[in-house]
């Protein structure tokens, strides 16, 4: 071949071609070399190309060239070379030696092929793969591919991490994948995947896997079918996500919501119970007085309040027994929890067990839903059982069991419910006489009478009457927007002489009535309201004269007729008369009035 033909062939090669001497000196190059470096052949012969090699690649290039010269072996490697405009591009460098008849190298032929685009594509691909793997690691989601014909599986490194294995071998087939699924979920997942293949559709399943150390994780796997030209499924590829943390968080959140709902329901029940007692609770705001008899009660109160001991408060109607009970609760360790009360006399005997202990749905006619009793509502707090002497004998037995075992059993239920409740009871009856008469259990009395407190009647603390009058006058005057500057002296004298059979509650009602009628700045009470003072004997069981008693009975019966026998509530007889429902119930019993006569069938 002539030299001219050789040069023509070199010029047609799609690459940078250089012919070099055995020592590496440039002998001839094609036009593409001159264009790339922007130099003439003479300049290249003087310059060489080593300083155009990227500094990071130069040591490797020199070593590879020296090895080729010393051994005479062909070489092939990739490196970056700077173009005339300063840009570095990737080239694949191939070198072949030409030998003479004696085997000596007489010339080197070097071909530089531009592979810059390929290298950039590979770099982008590697970066994309790295980004994908990092994204899978951060999202706890690995990719997988299942070839249906062979049954083989290919998984990403994140799948191995999720499954807790170091190599892909334990996950290399579909059967091995199934073996790692929790036994209770395995058949369901397999059936779901087989069904997806039959309908050539998407696969989506959530299940548990068991790791080698026994740890259980929750996974969600989504698969997409790949079809061939014939429309047949050849493989599935998809994603497996570790959703253990999400499911645990969801379970914890649901548990928290259940607890919030339970507390909300309890608070609602407690508020309901408190609203039922608001009329009685607002009767007194403070314990007013400085008499020796009252100070003795307060001394006992301060000593027993910090304990959890059961307290039995006794005293006549209207002496403020519930006020004492609330004061005990307020100064106890349970002050931040509920104070739930029940007037045993005002509750029908047939319903008192349900009120105290609650009932299950269907326990009796009208029990359309489950209801918690006052003991459950008062859990961790205090329950106040007013007029405890009025509860029926069968309920006394159940109450005794609750006090002994500290757990309640709802009406119609069979399961004991533990309760932590402090019990305060009150009565205006002589329970010793009730025990003798067989209407009150002695064992229940001894359970309740752990710490007795006797509240004195108002007639035994007369020195407190002026203070109480001033207190109630101020309270009701402010409430009604009236300005009362002084109290009539005659009124105070009458109040101090009057025996107050209704005690503080009667005093409060008379003061409220007088404030309503008061038109000036001086408070006074109609003397006729206290006219029975001369005939009253302290300690008498029925201090009212027969005439007044008949008049009171007539007023109560008229109110009951108007309310159709209903005592409590906004339209009850107690509201009509302007007195608490518990007071009216006591009056009805005292005057032996039959409420059923006024009930419309």
């Amino acid at each position: 071949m002539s030299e001219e033909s050789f040069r023509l062939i070199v010029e047609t090669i799609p690459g940078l071609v250089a012919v070099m001497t055995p020592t590496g000196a440039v002998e001839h190059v094609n036009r593409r070399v001159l264009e790339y470096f922007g130099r003439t052949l003479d300049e290249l012969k003087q310059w060489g190309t080593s300083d155009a090699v990227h500094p990071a690649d130069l040591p490797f290039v020199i070593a590879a060239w020296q090895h080729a010269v010393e051994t005479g072996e062909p070489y092939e490697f990739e490196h970056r070379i700077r173009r005339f405009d300063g840009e570095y591009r990737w080239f694949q460098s191939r070198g072949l030696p030409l030998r003479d008849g004696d085997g000596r190298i007489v010339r080197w032929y070097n071909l530089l092929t531009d592979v810059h685009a390929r290298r950039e594509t590979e770099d982008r691909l590697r970066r994309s793969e790295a980004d994908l793997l990092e994204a899978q690691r951060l999202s706890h989601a690995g990719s997988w591919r299942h070839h249906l014909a062979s049954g083989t599986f290919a998984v990403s490194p994140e799948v191995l991490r999720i499954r807790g294995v170091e190599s892909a071998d334990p996950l290399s087939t579909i059967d091995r994948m199934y073996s790692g699924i929790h036994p209770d979920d395995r058949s369901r997942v397999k059936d779901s995947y087989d069904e997806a293949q039959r309908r050539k559709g998407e696969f989506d399943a959530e299940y548990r896997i068991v790791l080698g150390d026994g740890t259980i994780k929750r996974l969600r796997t989504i698969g997409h079918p790949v079809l061939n030209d014939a429309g047949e499924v050849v493989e599935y590829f998809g994603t497996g996500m570790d959703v253990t943390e999400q499911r645990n968080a969801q379970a914890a959140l649901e548990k928290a919501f259940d607890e919030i709902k339970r507390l909300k329901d309890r608070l609602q029940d407690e508020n309901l119970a408190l609203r039922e007692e608001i009329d009685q609770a607002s009767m007194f705001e403070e314990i007013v007085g400085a008499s020796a008899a009252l100070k003795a009660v307060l001394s006992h109160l301060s000593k027993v309040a910090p304990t959890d001991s059961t307290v039995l408060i006794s005293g006549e109607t209207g002496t403020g027994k519930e006020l004492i009970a609330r004061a005990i609760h307020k100064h106890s360790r349970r002050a931040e929890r509920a104070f739930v009360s029940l007037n045993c006399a005002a509750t029908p005997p047939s319903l008192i067990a349900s009120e105290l202990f609650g009932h299950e749905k269907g326990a009796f006619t009208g029990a359309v839903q489950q209801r918690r009793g006052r003991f459950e509502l008062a859990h961790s707090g205090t329950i106040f059982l007013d007029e405890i002497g009025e509860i029926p004998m069968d309920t006394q037995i159940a109450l005794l069991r609750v006090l002994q075992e500290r757990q309640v059993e709802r009406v119609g239920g069979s399961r004991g419910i533990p309760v932590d409740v402090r019990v305060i009871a009150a009565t205006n009856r002589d329970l010793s006489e009730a025990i003798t008469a067989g209407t009150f259990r002695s064992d229940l009395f001894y359970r309740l009478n752990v710490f007795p407190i006797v509240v004195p009647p108002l007639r035994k603390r007369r020195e407190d009457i002026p203070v109480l009058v001033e207190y109630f006058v101020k309270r009701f005057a402010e409430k009604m927007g009236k300005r009362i500057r002084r109290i009539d002296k005659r009124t105070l004298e009458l109040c101090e002489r009057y025996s107050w059979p209704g005690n503080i509650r009667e005093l409060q009602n008379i003061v409220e009535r007088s404030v309503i009628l008061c038109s000036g700045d001086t408070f006074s009470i109609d003397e006729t309201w206290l006219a029975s003072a001369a005939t009253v004997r302290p300690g008498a069981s029925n201090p009212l004269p027969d005439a007044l008693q008949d008049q009171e009975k007539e007023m109560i019966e008229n109110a009951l007729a108007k309310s159709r026998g209903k005592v409590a509530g906004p339209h009850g007889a107690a509201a009509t008369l302007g007195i608490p429902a518990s007071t009216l119930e006591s009056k009805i019993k005292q005057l032996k009035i039959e409420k059923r006569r006024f009930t419309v069938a």
Side-chain angles (χ1 to χ4, degrees):
M1 179 184 295
S2 64
E3 186 71 18
E4 184 65 27
S5 298
F6 173 73
R7 293 179 181 275
L8 182 61
I9 292 173
V10 169
E11 288 296 334
T12 60
I13 295 175
L16 279 63
V17 179
V19 181
M20 297 178 290
T21 65
T23 59
V26 175
E27 184 177 288
H28 177 72
V29 298
N30 65 356
R31 178 171 51 82
R32 288 185 174 82
V33 174
L34 301 179
E35 292 173 350
Y36 188 83
F37 291 108
R39 296 176 182 268
T40 64
L41 178 60
D42 291 338
E43 289 174 336
L44 287 176
K45 288 180 179 181
Q46 300 297 322
W47 172 56
T49 59
S50 60
D51 66 341
V53 178
H54 194 284
D57 302 337
L58 184 59
F60 166 73
V61 172
I62 292 175
W65 169 250
Q66 288 177 346
H67 177 76
V69 170
E70 292 171 0
T71 61
E73 296 177 356
Y75 61 85
E76 181 177 341
F77 52 83
E78 293 182 1
H79 63 292
R80 288 161 290 183
I81 303 177
R82 186 179 69 247
R83 199 166 56 186
F84 69 92
D85 58 2
E87 178 186 355
Y88 282 97
R89 295 184 65 82
W90 281 96
F91 283 87
Q92 183 186 58
S93 179
R94 293 191 181 94
L96 292 173
L98 177 65
R99 303 177 184 273
D100 59 12
D102 297 328
R104 291 173 298 185
I105 297 175
V106 296
R107 186 175 288 136
W108 281 94
Y109 295 103
N110 180 256
L111 173 63
L112 295 171
T113 304
D114 191 332
V115 294
H116 192 77
R118 176 177 62 79
R119 286 298 294 257
E120 283 193 331
T121 301
E122 290 175 352
D123 287 344
R124 284 196 299 270
L125 181 60
R126 278 193 294 272
R127 286 195 298 270
S128 297
E129 289 177 349
D131 291 343
L132 176 61
L133 292 177
E134 180 65 10
Q136 289 187 1
R137 186 186 69 83
L138 293 175
S139 62
H140 304 295
S143 57
W144 56 273
R145 185 179 292 270
H146 175 212
H147 191 269
L148 299 184
S150 64
T152 58
F153 252 84
V155 297
S156 68
E158 182 61 18
V159 173
L160 304 182
R161 191 198 66 77
I162 293 174
R163 292 272 184 160
V165 296
E166 296 181 356
S167 69
D169 185 62
L171 309 176
S172 59
T173 66
I174 183 66
D175 291 332
R176 290 182 176 180
M177 290 288 290
Y178 284 144
S179 66
I181 298 176
H182 193 286
D184 294 343
D185 299 343
R186 191 176 301 153
S187 60
R188 172 177 59 83
V189 175
K190 185 178 184 302
D191 292 344
S192 177
Y193 190 38
D194 291 344
E195 172 61 23
Q197 294 176 40
R198 283 192 293 271
R199 57 184 170 80
K200 303 177 184 180
E202 304 286 335
F203 167 68
D204 190 341
E206 186 170 318
Y207 52 90
R208 293 165 292 176
I209 61 171
V210 183
L211 305 189
D213 60 359
T215 302
I216 295 178
K217 288 186 176 181
R218 285 191 170 274
L219 301 187
R220 183 187 177 192
T221 297
I222 300 173
H224 178 74
V226 178
L227 309 180
N228 58 17
D229 293 339
E232 299 297 326
V233 180
V234 294
E235 63 179 348
Y236 269 82
F237 72 89
T239 300
M241 294 161 284
D242 183 353
V243 295
T244 307
E245 292 183 2
Q246 295 93 312
R247 294 298 174 264
N248 289 342
Q250 183 179 355
L253 187 61
E254 290 175 353
K255 183 178 179 181
F257 278 137
D258 289 341
E259 179 66 11
I260 290 172
K261 184 179 183 299
R262 186 186 69 80
L263 293 175
K264 181 180 178 182
D265 291 343
R266 176 179 182 139
L267 181 60
Q268 185 175 3
D269 290 340
E270 290 177 354
N271 287 340
L272 180 61
L274 290 174
R275 283 197 299 271
E276 292 176 357
E277 304 298 330
I278 194 160
D279 289 339
Q280 299 169 14
S282 63
M283 183 185 300
F284 304 99
E285 295 179 359
E286 301 176 15
I287 300 175
V288 178
S291 63
L294 182 61
K295 285 181 178 179
V297 172
L298 297 181
S299 176
H300 289 164
L301 185 155
S302 63
K303 291 175 182 177
V304 76
T307 73
D308 268 347
S309 297
T310 302
V311 179
L312 178 61
I313 305 170
S314 58
E316 297 178 8
T317 298
T319 52
K321 295 185 291 296
E322 182 169 352
L323 180 61
I324 298 297
R326 289 184 180 274
I328 292 173
H329 173 72
K330 184 177 180 181
H331 292 86
S332 72
R333 292 188 296 268
R334 302 170 180 261
E336 299 300 321
R337 301 312 300 267
F339 179 89
V340 179
S341 65
L342 177 68
N343 188 309
C344 301
T347 305
S350 60
L351 295 179
I352 194 166
S354 173
E355 286 291 330
L356 286 172
F357 314 126
H359 62 253
E360 299 291 348
K361 181 179 180 180
F364 51 83
T365 303
V368 296
Q369 62 182 5
Q370 183 191 79
R371 181 184 179 187
R372 289 188 289 175
R374 302 297 175 101
F375 269 93
E376 286 186 74
L377 296 178
H379 182 69
S380 299
T382 302
I383 187 168
F384 175 55
L385 303 177
D386 197 7
E387 301 192 47
I388 189 69
E390 306 301 326
I391 63 175
M393 188 62 71
D394 56 345
T395 306
Q396 291 182 34
I397 298 172
L399 178 59
L400 178 63
R401 186 168 60 250
V402 172
L403 297 178
Q404 291 174 337
E405 301 175 2
R406 293 293 173 180
Q407 63 178 13
V408 299
E409 187 174 300
R410 294 177 184 147
V411 177
S414 58
R415 177 176 62 90
I417 302 170
V419 289
D420 174 22
V421 178
R422 182 184 192 169
V423 177
I424 301 176
T427 181
N428 60 4
R429 293 180 58 187
D430 186 338
L431 294 184
S432 299
E433 292 183 359
I435 293 172
T436 303
T439 58
F440 199 85
R441 295 179 62 92
S442 60
D443 47 3
L444 177 58
F445 171 75
Y446 294 125
R447 278 283 178 180
L448 295 173
N449 198 40
V450 176
F451 192 94
I453 293 179
V454 179
V455 183
L458 189 54
R459 62 180 174 273
K460 291 186 178 181
R461 39 181 292 212
R462 293 184 182 277
E463 57 267 48
D464 291 335
I465 292 177
V467 180
L468 286 166
V469 172
E470 292 178 6
Y471 169 73
F472 286 128
V473 168
K474 181 180 178 182
R475 173 181 168 184
F476 292 120
E478 290 178 352
K479 185 176 180 181
M480 299 175 192
K482 294 188 176 184
R483 295 188 63 184
I484 297 178
R485 299 181 182 274
R486 66 189 187 89
I487 299 175
D488 182 69
K489 184 178 179 180
R490 172 66 176 167
T491 290
L492 290 178
E493 292 174 352
L494 286 172
C495 289
E496 289 175 352
R497 289 202 305 267
Y498 186 56
S499 62
W500 298 106
N503 292 293
I504 297 176
R505 187 175 296 136
E506 183 183 6
L507 173 62
Q508 174 187 307
N509 291 343
I510 287 180
V511 171
E512 182 178 7
R513 191 187 316 157
S514 300
V515 171
I516 294 173
L517 298 175
C518 185
S519 57
D521 60 358
T522 300
F523 173 81
S524 63
I525 297 176
D526 189 337
E527 294 187 18
T528 60
W529 298 348
L530 306 177
S532 60
T535 61
V536 172
R537 292 181 294 104
S541 60
N542 185 15
L544 290 176
D546 292 341
L548 290 178
Q549 183 171 317
D550 292 342
Q551 183 179 2
E552 186 177 27
K553 183 176 182 180
E554 182 180 356
M555 291 174 61
I556 293 174
E557 289 179 341
N558 290 337
L560 287 171
K562 184 178 179 181
S563 66
R564 298 183 178 180
K566 186 176 182 182
V567 175
H571 303 294
T576 302
L577 295 171
I579 61 176
S582 60
T583 301
L584 181 57
E585 289 283 2
S586 299
K587 291 289 185 181
I588 290 172
K589 287 189 176 183
Q590 180 183 358
L591 299 173
K592 298 180 180 180
I593 298 173
E594 292 291 333
K595 291 188 295 183
R596 288 176 295 180
R597 292 192 296 113
F598 306 98
T599 304
V600 178

